Each structure stands twice: as structure tokens, then as C-alpha cells.
Amino acid sequence: MTSWRDVEAAAPEFARRVRELFDAHRHKTLATLRADGAPRISGIETVFDDGELTFGSMPAARKGADLRRDPRFALHSATVDPVEGQEAQWPGEAKIAGRAVPSGEVTEGPGGDLFRADITEVVHTHLNPEATLLVVEWWTPAVGLRRIERE
């Protein structure tokens, strides 16, 4: 089981940048797998709390049913376009993949299922300081932090 706390301990500066991207906007996108194996994307809100990444699913929501059947997920931060002429200031986008672990019920609002993330991969995609190359940094529990640059 790999928690957000583990990512922060292994790669603190990288984890800070990823978390800032997730915290910058309320709504994110969650990908799950339907019963027939087809992908489903849904809007979702997430919380980083006490070293855990958590999210909920409203009662009878399809994403909750998907996650109970097959816990694999991919979570994407909100994406904003780079400002023309200021591309080097674009913060990029972040992604987290893993397995959703049931963690009880949502206690606020209409209720539903609460999940915490067992993280298998974290990615931050951004531009280099000159805004001439795409930079992809990713972290996995098995290998740690890696980085590539592309034209």
C-alpha cells in the first residue's frame, strides 16, 4: 500500500508541485473501468488529508460501482492553457494512478462511499524554463522519480 505520505517522503519537491496542481482547482477528472472494460470518466473532488489522498462517490454513482468491482483508477488535475507569450510560467498538469481502497462512508452531504488511494504512479507534465521542451516527470514506488524531456 503506497499512500500520498510515501510520495511526499520519497520526492518532497515533486510531491509539492503535484499537490499544488491538484489543490489549485476544485474539480478533477477520474477515469474508472466499466463492467465491460470500457473506460468511464467522471468529475470528482479530492482531498489530501493526513498523508492520504481520498475521494468519495455519491450513493448509487456508477464510478463507485466501477471502483468496487475493479479498483484501478487514473486521476487528472484540472488543466489550464498556457498564456501566450508566458508559456514558461505554465504550471503543467498532474496525474495520479492506482487502486481505490474502500474506506467507509462519506459522512458529509448526501453520503456515499469513501475511498483512499493506493498509489502506483504520479506524473507531472510541464515545460522547461525556456518553454522549448515538454518535461515529463513520474514517480513509482518501485523505481522512484524519473524525468524525460521531449521536443
Side-chain angles (χ1 to χ4, degrees):
M1 175 79 189
T2 302
S3 69
W4 183 251
R5 178 183 302 105
D6 298 321
V7 180
E8 290 176 316
E13 195 275 330
F14 170 76
R16 179 194 57 75
R17 286 186 280 123
V18 168
R19 182 169 176 174
E20 284 177 358
L21 286 167
F22 275 97
D23 287 345
H25 301 277
R26 183 175 180 178
H27 297 106
K28 290 81 170 168
T29 304
L30 179 76
T32 59
L33 295 170
R34 299 172 190 252
D36 67 0
R40 180 191 320 268
I41 60 170
S42 306
I44 195 160
E45 298 174 20
T46 60
V47 176
F48 291 92
D49 185 35
D50 196 28
E52 297 284 350
L53 169 60
T54 62
F55 47 90
S57 176
M58 295 174 66
R62 299 311 318 146
K63 66 183 153 199
D66 289 347
L67 292 170
R68 286 189 300 278
R69 184 183 51 265
D70 185 331
R72 292 176 293 171
F73 74 88
L75 181 66
H76 196 285
S77 67
T79 302
V80 296
D81 292 331
V83 174
E84 191 171 332
Q86 299 177 4
E87 289 84 358
Q89 276 69 54
W90 180 60
E93 59 186 24
K95 297 169 240 172
I96 299 173
R99 291 175 186 78
V101 178
S103 298
E105 294 186 15
V106 174
T107 57
E108 298 176 10
D113 298 315
L114 182 64
F115 297 93
R116 62 186 164 87
D118 175 10
I119 298 170
T120 57
E121 182 179 56
V122 180
V123 179
H124 180 207
T125 304
H126 57 98
L127 298 174
N128 70 341
E130 297 79 25
T132 57
L133 298 172
L134 182 68
V135 179
V136 181
E137 296 176 277
W138 72 103
W139 180 92
T140 64
V143 180
L145 187 60
R146 292 175 280 177
R147 173 188 173 111
I148 61 169
E149 295 182 350
R150 296 181 175 166
E151 288 187 28

